[in-house]
Amino acid sequence: MKKIFSGIQPSGVIHLGNYLGAIKQWVELQSQVDEAIFCVVDLHAITVPQDPEALKRNILSVAALYLAAGINPEKSIIFVQSTRPEHAELAWILNTVTKMGELSRMTQFKDKSQKETVESASVGLFDYPVLMAADILLYNTTAVPVGDDQKQHVELARDLAMRFNSKYGDTFVVPEPLIRKESARIMGLDDPTKKMSKSAGSSLSYLAVLDDAETISNKIKRAVTDSGNEIKAGSDKPAITNLLNIFSEVTDRSVVEIEADFEGKNYGDFKNSLSEAVVSYLSPIQKKYDEIINDETGLKKILADGSRRAGEIASGTLVNVKEKIGLGL
Ligand code: AMP
Ligand code: TRP
């Protein structure tokens, strides 16, 4: 049985890195597996400060984007993490088999806590990977489709599953990370040495999935390029390589084909075509998104149904876990 689980935090805009690194492959995978679960991980989002009103809006927005991208709620389960108490409960239990040392080595914590110093980072931010392990392990997940930056967290989930199994007997399925090579890491438009990210200093770093045509074209015009003027990928040309990767992903054509099209042409021509390609890729998604977000009742119904279906699986796992440990009456 193949079972996949993944999630995105409702903590602001969803950018093309999230879309190409995660959501795009979810849509492809949902028809190839026995069970697919996609979660809006709001309990992860609150590990850094969030405005309550904005958080509420962002939760629905991320769910609407899953649907607009083509996640089918009849086949897959879409739900909001905080509507299921099992996640926090299993995270607590897993905390007791997690070592301080292994969490200290998580690079995302190191990056995020550096911005505010370890002294003032929340304990929740430190514990974030354990909650993620709980998300994954509750659903007997076999594979976790994510971008490259989440590989270390999925490996922790594997370690915790194996540790728990050897301590208390076979309980959890040990999950594998599932990372696509091509779009594993979409880089920032303003700095191709850093991944595209919503928390980068400038909005010029990312293309948001909901950006309008003019914004997309302006951001691509201002994207940094490499020295020289050839439209060719290579390790000495990180900026143009990233733009070619994006072009390839949104048109489903190979980088080599695109390079051939632009032989003898300049960066300006290339950037214009790239803008057009991104806009025509995103506009049908944006149209669907508008329809879904404007039917809040319909959207909430899908999420309530997803939560109920998720609960049927999660509660079974938790009963088994507690029994193994000797908790309760
Ligand atoms: P987050 O925004 O951190 O909740 O990330 C949601 C998903 O998007 C995860 O699977 C990440 O690995 C993926 N992701 C985030 N940024 C990028 C990027 N620049 N390139 C590829 N995937 C990304
Ligand atoms: N930590 C992930 C991210 O920032 C989001 C996430 C939370 C997740 N729980 C998960 C991803 C479980 C996959 C599986 O991208």
Side-chain angles (χ1 to χ4, degrees):
M1 288 284 266
K2 277 197 190 147
K3 299 186 177 185
I4 60 170
F5 182 101
S6 196
I8 292 183
Q9 301 181 62
S11 52
V13 290
I14 301 295
H15 55 72
L16 206 57
N18 301 133
Y19 199 87
L20 300 177
I23 303 178
K24 189 183 177 199
Q25 65 161 334
W26 301 355
V27 176
E28 292 161 6
L29 283 166
Q30 71 177 338
S31 52
Q32 303 163 13
V33 298
D34 300 292
E35 191 168 82
I37 307 184
F38 304 111
C39 186
V40 180
V41 289
D42 53 350
L43 294 173
H44 279 101
I46 61 165
T47 57
V48 296
Q50 301 291 339
D51 171 69
E53 284 308 314
L55 180 60
K56 259 202 162 110
R57 272 199 311 279
N58 285 334
I59 290 169
L60 291 180
S61 173
V62 171
L65 207 55
Y66 288 0
L67 294 165
I71 302 293
N72 173 2
E74 313 247 305
K75 166 96 183 56
S76 305
I77 297 177
I78 300 184
F79 78 106
V80 177
Q81 188 186 32
S82 66
T83 64
R84 295 294 352 152
E86 293 86 358
H87 292 250
E89 200 172 344
L90 181 60
W92 179 259
I93 292 171
L94 292 175
N95 276 334
T96 64
V97 296
T98 308
K99 296 169 189 169
M100 294 287 286
E102 59 195 343
L103 291 187
S104 307
R105 286 190 291 276
M106 294 288 131
T107 55
Q108 183 172 301
F109 175 73
K110 286 196 229 166
D111 289 350
K112 286 198 185 177
S113 62
Q114 234 173 27
K115 288 194 180 141
E116 40 185 320
T117 82
V118 175
E119 270 302 301
S120 61
S122 72
V123 174
L125 188 64
F126 187 66
D127 202 30
Y128 174 117
V130 180
L131 179 60
M132 179 163 161
D135 298 343
I136 296 167
L137 300 181
L138 276 174
Y139 299 96
N140 308 312
T141 305
T142 58
V144 186
V146 281
D148 186 49
D149 60 337
Q150 296 301 314
K151 189 166 178 220
Q152 197 186 25
H153 290 159
V154 179
E155 274 159 8
L156 178 78
R158 285 175 64 80
D159 290 345
L160 296 182
M162 289 189 280
R163 192 174 304 152
F164 190 99
N165 288 350
S166 72
K167 199 165 173 188
Y168 296 109
D170 216 14
T171 310
F172 293 122
V173 173
V174 180
E176 306 267 355
L178 198 63
I179 297 168
R180 285 172 82 225
K181 268 195 230 78
E182 310 77 26
S183 58
R185 202 166 275 241
I186 302 293
M187 309 310 281
L189 298 181
D190 59 342
D191 180 356
T193 64
K194 297 208 172 83
K195 68 170 187 170
M196 182 176 283
S197 145
K198 57 197 161 202
S199 52
S202 151
S203 70
L204 289 176
S205 161
Y206 61 81
L207 294 170
V209 175
L210 299 177
D211 273 347
D212 61 24
E214 200 185 327
T215 310
I216 290 172
S217 154
N218 281 334
K219 285 184 181 175
I220 291 179
K221 270 199 193 105
R222 295 175 66 177
V224 301
T225 46
D226 308 293
S227 57
N229 50 16
E230 255 192 319
I231 316 294
K232 230 171 171 38
S235 54
D236 55 334
K237 287 173 168 275
I240 199 74
T241 303
N242 186 42
L243 296 180
L244 278 164
N245 277 338
I246 294 174
F247 207 136
S248 161
E249 282 294 322
V250 299
T251 55
D252 275 327
R253 297 172 64 226
S254 74
V255 168
V256 176
E257 274 177 87
I258 299 164
E259 284 173 342
D261 279 357
F262 287 94
E263 217 182 304
K265 302 210 171 124
N266 60 30
Y267 279 150
D269 298 329
F270 174 71
K271 282 184 164 183
N272 284 338
S273 303
L274 175 60
S275 296
E276 277 169 28
V278 172
V279 169
S280 53
Y281 181 73
L282 292 181
S283 59
I285 300 167
Q286 294 176 349
K287 236 171 110 192
K288 265 204 213 131
Y289 172 87
D290 285 340
E291 283 167 24
I292 296 164
I293 203 75
N294 286 321
D295 174 16
E296 199 172 306
T297 315
L299 178 56
K300 286 187 169 163
K301 213 166 141 228
I302 290 172
L303 292 172
D305 180 57
S307 178
R308 183 189 52 75
R309 286 157 68 200
E312 283 169 10
I313 308 167
S315 58
T317 306
L318 201 60
V319 166
N320 185 25
V321 167
K322 287 176 156 175
E323 172 67 32
K324 289 269 173 57
I325 304 180
L327 291 171
L329 288 177

